[in-house]
Amino acid sequence: MTIKWQDIRCVFVERYLINSVAVRAISGDKAYSLILKQFKLNEVLAYISKRVTDIKVDSRINVHP
């Protein structure tokens, strides 16, 4: 499934299981999730932040600049 960047209102990053995170993109009234290993999160957030301004990360997740 493909979602256009301009259709994404915000992105939420939440813990998922032990070493994984769920990246949820909100588009309209629907949420789309991507589950990935936490060690990939910084790379993914760098990519997403170039396209989406409203990103919320669960405070329990360590994100390195």
Side-chain angles (χ1 to χ4, degrees):
M1 172 175 283
T2 303
I3 305 165
K4 294 179 183 178
W5 285 110
Q6 61 267 24
D7 293 342
I8 297 175
R9 282 187 299 144
C10 61
V11 172
F12 295 101
V13 180
E14 304 165 336
R15 286 179 52 177
Y16 184 82
L17 298 177
I18 295 172
N19 294 322
S20 298
V21 293
V23 178
R24 301 187 195 285
I26 309 301
S27 174
D29 60 348
K30 295 183 181 181
Y32 302 92
S33 299
L34 173 65
I35 308 300
L36 53 109
K37 295 293 183 183
Q38 188 165 346
F39 76 90
K40 287 288 199 180
L41 183 59
N42 290 335
E43 185 178 339
V44 169
L45 284 177
Y47 186 82
I48 291 173
S49 66
K50 294 177 184 175
R51 293 153 181 85
V52 178
T53 57
D54 190 5
I55 301 173
K56 295 175 177 59
V57 180
D58 186 326
S59 62
R60 299 175 293 172
I61 298 173
N62 290 332
V63 178
H64 305 287

